[in-house]
Amino acid sequence: MSGGAQAQQMSDEQVVQYVKNAQQMGKNQKQITAELMRRGVTKEQVERIREKYESSKSENAEGRTSDANKNRSRQRKEQQKKETKGLRSISKVTYPVKQQDGMVMEEDSLLWEDRASFRMEEDPTQQIYGHNIFTNERLTFEPNVNVATPENYCLGPGDEVIIDVWGASETTIRQTISPEGSIFINNLGPVYLNGKTVKEANNYLKQEFARIYSGVTGNVPSTQVKLTLGEIRSIQVNVMGEVMVPGTYTLSSFASVFHALYSAGGVNKIGSLRSIKVMRNGNTIADLDVYDLLMKGKMKDDVRLQDGDVILVSPYLSLVQILGKVKRPMFYEMKPTETAGALLKYAGGFTGDAYKKALRIIRKSGREHQIYNVDEMDYSVFRMDDGDQVTVDSVLRRFENRVEIRGAVYREGLYQLDGTVNTVKQLIKKAEGVRGDAFLNRAIIDRELEDLSHEIVQVDVKGLLNGTIADIPLQKNDILYIPSIHDLKEEATLTIHGEVANPGTYLYSDKMTIEDLVLQAGGLLEAAATTKVEVARRMKDPKSTTFSNTVGTSFSFDLKEGLLIGAGSGDFYLEPFDEVYIRKSPSYHVQQNVMVGGEVLFGGSYALSKKNERLSDLVAKAGGVTPDAYVKGARLIRKMTEEELRRKADALRMAQMGGSDSISVKKLDLSDTYSVGISLEKALQNPGSDDDMVLRDGDMLFIPEYVSTVKINGAVMYPNTVSYKKGESYRYYINQAGGFGNGAKKRRAYVVYMNGTVSRVKKWSKTAIEPGCEIIVPSKDARKKMSPGEIIGLGTSAASLATMIATMVNLFK
């Protein structure tokens, strides 16, 4: 469908609703613009919609005559502002200027809303104080009509008056003052109220009603007459000069100057808040200063307006910026007679870290810049000029009366240099005295000189406290350091190794024994030996002048029931930096488990009872094999030790450095277990022989059932699995796989048996092939990629091994 057809389908109401929905979904103005353009909406249509909504807002504003109506009108205004927000933005966008490859290309432009957001995010120091008072959405100057009618309120055409008569006669008259200024009362005719205040109108009505009610006048009137206001009239005032939207505004007759400025959007960037004039019949009846409201909360100067009043906002006379350490740094409007002191008052005064003794003022003299340094005594007399920039500096980052004490005292920190703290002895006393570990023979004072260099002053604190030497006066920024005896030597530690709960390094304490250190380390482990506990002590002789071959001294002890026995002394104390070794008991062994599965009577996990336990012992523990067991095909799966894992990692790393076949090596690294070729049949026939292999922790023995197939893999035409036929030669099984493949190494073929052993085969051998074995024929070029058959073969072998391991693990859970 064409763009024109789409434009006809979207009415103005549909465009407005689309913009509202898109804004609720969080879309930005550029996205909304692009989508409306794709739907065929033109710039002219958007302009038409915007003008309609703007005119609708003006009509609503003119119709506000009561407090409720004003609130509703303001809400409508805000809602329409949201609805036309996107439309105003879209109408300011540069529409497409060219088309390329079927894509519409737009010129970059700053949207109206983007510019508004930019203004909102301006630096506060660049804003003018008070200029946002009439644009704050949370602040309204709309008059309150829900109050008693002021007696000085001046009646005029459009005001509704309510005249209540009660007493001897009772009636209520409710009329609106006509454009001629009168109301019509039966039996009296026209009564003119225009220009009278409420008080004057009440006195006047009593005189008029006395003509038809005899009891209205007299010392004791029997009939009362009272005039009150109903609906109030609207007035028109002109707001001129430096405001955001100058013009004529229809307002409530209760409206004031501030309400008129609020309706006009407040003053613009050059508008004055200090001199807002109200003109009535060509005369100035008021000159308002908004700063009185902002600074003092005074509303008494907010003059109530009358029909035809003119509010004139002039340009500012003097605008001054204050920066730095004041509470409210920004631009302020100053009167010609106001001084720097008034500016500081407007800015909220100094902050706590301000330098209050002087101000720095940069002034534009009309030809060049001038700088003034105004002292504190001149703040109240130095007058400000337009364009002045005032800067309040911060205090210097230094102290004029600080001294500091550190080290072995009870209260380290900063202290005031005054009448009570002037010397080293007074400072130590102020810090609650020296601690017991203080080194009193020598302390130091780090003193800052006039040229900001430093010198060290030695202090004999012991003599100073005893009174044997004179006290030392302190100077500004002195730092007294009294060292601890522990600070002057290496921190003493003890180290314990071996079979304790928490081996490691611990702080040294006097008269500490081995048992004390063992307790700190969490006690002995179950594997710990209480004999042959060794203590290694370092050699030290600070006064030695010769080389020594002795690098340490060792002591050996036995621990028994918490007592230390050995080396001829029961009072052996550890010394700093001793290292204690708790050995593992040679007779301590944790349980070592092996597993047996498959065709045995009682498969499962068994603990080794001796170090040289063998395959035949394990089968015997399992109750022997079943009649269906294929003993010849039994396989042993062994878990790698830490040393084997390390060697395997080294081998893999070297293989990766070797070149092209490193990836294939990685692929063969399937697990941390490996198969051990065994002959269980011979082991059971000759227990204790070399065939009867010794077991170790983690071994898994699997005795399968009889398998009546043979696998042929590798460089053959079609890798296959066929039935085993006793007496058939190796050549027979190769033919069952379609014969040798291209590049097959026929003389290098080998057989992998079920028990994990591997054997080379000859062409006409009839005894090499056994049930369950696998024949593998390698390729001539080992570097070439494996054929699909070889990949299938290796995958099948690996899968078989992995399946067997998984089966045994699940079996013994």
Side-chain angles (χ1 to χ4, degrees):
M1 185 178 290
S2 66
Q6 289 184 5
Q8 293 176 359
Q9 292 178 359
M10 289 194 73
S11 63
D12 293 352
E13 290 76 17
Q14 289 174 331
V15 173
V16 173
Q17 187 62 38
Y18 182 87
V19 172
K20 290 167 59 179
N21 295 338
Q23 287 178 338
Q24 291 176 356
M25 295 170 62
K27 296 182 179 180
N28 58 38
Q29 302 302 330
K30 290 183 179 179
Q31 290 175 324
I32 298 175
T33 303
E35 291 175 2
L36 286 178
M37 288 163 50
R38 285 196 293 269
R39 294 172 180 266
V41 177
T42 63
K43 183 176 181 180
E44 291 73 21
Q45 184 180 7
V46 174
E47 287 282 1
R48 183 178 68 251
I49 297 171
R50 185 175 68 86
E51 291 173 0
K52 181 174 69 174
Y53 271 73
E54 293 290 348
S55 63
S56 174
K57 287 194 294 181
S58 300
E59 292 173 1
N60 289 331
E62 292 175 358
R64 294 183 294 178
T65 56
S66 66
D67 187 66
N69 288 337
K70 289 169 187 173
N71 290 334
R72 286 194 296 271
S73 177
R74 183 172 177 82
Q75 292 172 359
R76 285 196 299 271
K77 181 179 178 181
E78 294 298 327
Q79 181 65 25
Q80 290 163 356
K81 180 180 178 181
K82 294 178 182 179
E83 293 174 357
T84 58
K85 178 180 179 181
L87 299 176
R88 289 198 302 271
S89 303
I90 296 168
S91 65
K92 299 294 182 181
V93 172
T94 303
Y95 266 64
V97 296
K98 61 180 179 178
Q99 193 165 358
Q100 180 177 342
D101 297 333
M103 297 295 293
V104 176
M105 309 297 292
E106 298 183 25
E107 289 183 343
D108 293 334
S109 61
L110 184 64
L111 299 181
W112 183 88
E113 291 297 337
D114 294 335
R115 294 196 297 269
S117 300
F118 176 76
R119 289 196 299 270
M120 291 177 63
E121 296 175 0
E122 281 184 336
D123 184 357
T125 61
Q126 303 301 314
Q127 297 179 4
I128 303 174
Y129 180 70
H131 272 218
N132 62 347
I133 185 173
F134 297 112
T135 58
N136 191 339
E137 294 182 358
R138 299 182 181 274
L139 186 64
T140 176
F141 292 93
E142 294 181 355
N144 185 9
V145 297
N146 296 322
V147 294
T149 304
E151 291 188 346
N152 62 351
Y153 177 78
C154 190
L155 299 174
D159 282 336
E160 183 186 40
V161 294
I162 303 172
I163 303 172
D164 293 312
V165 180
W166 73 95
S169 299
E170 292 191 3
T171 186
T172 298
I173 301 171
R174 191 182 188 106
Q175 288 194 27
T176 300
I177 299 176
S178 66
E180 291 79 15
S182 64
I183 61 174
F184 186 83
I185 300 176
N186 292 334
N187 301 323
L188 284 179
V191 176
Y192 290 90
L193 300 178
N194 183 39
K196 292 182 171 58
T197 65
V198 173
K199 183 177 181 179
E200 291 171 347
N202 270 301
N203 294 331
Y204 176 67
L205 287 175
K206 287 180 181 179
Q207 297 174 6
E208 291 295 314
F209 273 88
R211 296 163 50 189
I212 57 176
Y213 298 114
S214 59
V216 173
T217 59
N219 294 331
V220 185
S222 60
T223 301
Q224 302 289 333
V225 179
K226 179 70 174 180
L227 178 144
T228 57
L229 272 179
E231 294 289 339
I232 59 176
R233 71 182 186 274
S234 297
I235 62 173
Q236 284 190 333
V237 296
N238 296 309
V239 184
M240 309 298 292
E242 305 303 330
V243 292
M244 296 299 292
V245 188
T248 301
Y249 289 86
T250 301
L251 307 173
S252 163
S253 57
F254 277 4
S256 65
V257 176
F258 288 166
H259 181 210
L261 291 173
Y262 174 72
S263 299
V267 300
N268 59 23
K269 285 189 175 182
I270 65 171
S272 173
L273 293 175
R274 308 300 304 274
S275 180
I276 300 175
K277 294 181 174 58
V278 181
M279 312 294 293
R280 184 174 295 164
N281 299 325
N283 299 318
T284 301
I285 65 167
D287 191 351
L288 305 183
D289 186 351
V290 179
Y291 275 26
D292 285 341
L293 169 64
L294 297 176
M295 299 292 180
K296 305 175 184 177
K298 291 183 178 180
M299 293 285 288
K300 62 182 181 65
D301 294 333
D302 191 10
V303 178
R304 181 177 291 114
L305 299 174
Q306 293 186 11
D307 193 43
D309 282 354
V310 176
I311 300 172
L312 183 61
V313 179
S314 303
Y316 67 81
L317 294 178
S318 177
L319 198 63
V320 178
Q321 185 182 26
I322 184 168
L323 301 171
K325 298 300 180 177
V326 291
K327 294 184 175 69
R328 200 164 42 229
M330 57 196 316
F331 283 93
Y332 292 89
E333 185 182 347
M334 306 291 291
K335 292 184 177 180
T337 59
E338 289 185 320
T339 64
L343 176 62
L344 287 172
K345 184 178 179 182
Y346 293 154
F350 295 109
T351 59
D353 58 342
Y355 178 65
K356 304 176 183 178
K357 299 295 183 182
L359 301 176
R360 182 172 64 253
I361 299 174
I362 297 176
R363 175 167 293 173
K364 305 174 181 67
S365 64
R367 180 180 175 185
E368 294 179 325
H369 286 75
Q370 297 176 338
I371 189 166
Y372 295 90
N373 295 109
V374 182
D375 294 332
E376 186 177 19
M377 299 297 295
D378 297 330
Y379 290 171
S380 59
V381 296
F382 187 89
R383 293 188 178 182
M384 306 307 300
D385 199 1
D386 184 34
D388 283 354
Q389 185 183 75
V390 182
T391 303
V392 180
D393 291 328
S394 61
V395 296
L396 297 176
R397 297 185 62 85
R398 67 180 185 181
F399 294 87
E400 61 182 1
N401 63 340
R402 178 193 70 175
V403 291
E404 184 177 358
I405 186 169
R406 301 176 184 171
V409 292
Y410 287 104
R411 292 192 179 274
E412 296 180 281
L414 304 177
Y415 288 91
Q416 175 184 354
L417 185 63
D418 56 9
T420 60
V421 177
N422 284 316
T423 65
V424 172
K425 192 172 182 178
Q426 291 173 344
L427 179 59
I428 294 174
K429 182 179 179 181
K430 195 73 173 179
E432 302 291 342
V434 294
R435 298 199 309 254
D437 62 333
F439 181 71
L440 302 179
N441 294 335
R442 189 181 183 90
I444 59 173
I445 296 175
D446 185 350
R447 176 161 292 171
E448 184 181 86
L449 302 179
E450 291 296 330
D451 60 357
L452 300 184
S453 63
H454 288 255
E455 71 172 356
I456 298 297
V457 179
Q458 288 80 25
V459 180
D460 182 359
V461 179
K462 185 175 182 180
L464 189 146
L465 295 178
N466 292 337
T468 58
I469 64 171
D471 203 355
I472 300 175
L474 293 172
Q475 296 181 13
K476 178 179 68 174
N477 293 324
D478 276 356
I479 301 175
L480 173 62
Y481 173 65
I482 301 176
S484 167
I485 58 175
H486 303 297
D487 296 336
L488 302 179
K489 60 182 180 181
E490 184 180 357
E491 185 178 45
T493 59
L494 296 170
T495 304
I496 185 168
H497 306 273
E499 302 301 315
V500 290
N502 300 299
T505 301
Y506 297 86
L507 289 177
Y508 169 79
S509 299
D510 288 337
K511 295 186 178 181
M512 194 170 185
T513 65
I514 296 177
E515 287 83 354
D516 299 331
L517 182 58
V518 169
L519 288 176
Q520 285 196 27
L524 299 175
L525 297 180
E526 189 180 31
T530 57
T531 61
K532 202 172 176 55
V533 175
E534 291 188 2
V535 178
R537 181 164 296 169
R538 64 176 57 175
M539 299 298 295
K540 49 189 175 182
D541 185 2
K543 297 182 180 180
S544 176
T545 59
T546 60
F547 177 76
S548 175
N549 289 324
T550 305
V551 296
T553 304
S554 296
F555 304 89
S556 182
F557 303 94
D558 293 338
L559 293 174
K560 184 178 180 181
E561 298 179 358
L563 299 177
L564 191 63
I565 304 172
S569 175
D571 297 325
F572 180 83
Y573 297 110
L574 297 174
E575 293 186 4
F577 310 108
D578 279 355
E579 296 196 15
V580 179
Y581 299 86
I582 307 294
R583 310 294 182 185
K584 182 179 178 181
S585 173
S587 62
Y588 179 81
H589 298 282
V590 297
Q591 292 86 347
Q592 298 183 23
N593 295 314
V594 294
M595 288 189 292
V596 60
E599 297 302 316
V600 291
L601 293 179
F602 300 99
S605 180
Y606 291 88
L608 297 178
S609 56
K610 54 185 178 179
K611 292 193 66 174
N612 59 347
E613 194 161 334
R614 298 175 181 269
L615 290 172
S616 59
D617 298 327
L618 179 57
V619 174
K621 285 184 177 181
V625 298
T626 66
D628 296 329
Y630 182 53
V631 178
K632 200 172 183 179
R635 172 173 287 191
L636 181 68
I637 305 300
R638 178 157 288 177
K639 189 180 297 184
M640 288 187 179
T641 63
E642 292 184 3
E643 176 63 21
E644 289 172 335
L645 289 171
R646 186 188 63 78
R647 288 203 305 266
K648 184 184 75 169
D650 292 342
L652 286 173
R653 186 166 55 253
M654 293 176 64
Q656 291 168 6
M657 296 171 60
S660 60
D661 62 346
S662 60
I663 296 178
S664 63
V665 173
K666 273 189 172 181
K667 289 182 178 179
L668 295 177
D669 178 30
L670 299 175
S671 68
D672 59 353
T673 60
Y674 60 93
S675 176
V676 179
I678 62 172
S679 177
L680 183 60
E681 184 178 32
K682 294 180 180 180
L684 295 179
Q685 292 173 357
N686 301 297
S689 65
D690 291 339
D691 292 319
D692 195 7
M693 189 174 295
V694 176
L695 298 173
R696 75 182 191 192
D697 186 32
D699 282 352
M700 294 183 291
L701 176 62
F702 185 77
I703 303 174
E705 290 182 317
Y706 179 79
V707 177
S708 61
T709 58
V710 175
K711 295 180 182 178
I712 306 97
N713 280 319
V716 292
M717 298 302 294
Y718 184 79
N720 200 1
T721 300
V722 299
S723 296
Y724 170 74
K725 287 190 177 183
K726 188 175 181 179
E728 292 292 345
S729 66
Y730 155 72
R731 184 71 179 181
Y732 165 79
Y733 293 100
I734 293 297
N735 291 335
Q736 295 298 311
F740 292 106
N742 294 330
K745 284 188 175 183
K746 303 176 182 179
R747 296 184 180 181
R748 298 289 183 180
Y750 58 92
V751 179
V752 179
Y753 299 102
M754 288 186 66
N755 62 358
T757 59
V758 179
S759 175
R760 290 278 299 276
V761 294
K762 295 182 179 180
K763 184 176 182 181
W764 304 106
S765 176
K766 295 184 178 181
T767 59
I769 309 302
E770 295 180 357
C773 70
E774 182 174 3
I775 303 170
I776 298 177
V777 181
S779 300
K780 288 182 179 179
D781 189 358
R783 293 175 297 177
K784 74 172 186 178
K785 294 183 179 179
M786 293 184 182
S787 66
E790 291 176 312
I791 295 174
I792 294 173
L794 287 178
T796 304
S797 301
S800 300
L801 179 62
T803 303
M804 184 180 68
I805 295 173
T807 302
M808 294 193 67
V809 170
N810 292 329
L811 178 64
F812 300 136
K813 279 185 177 179

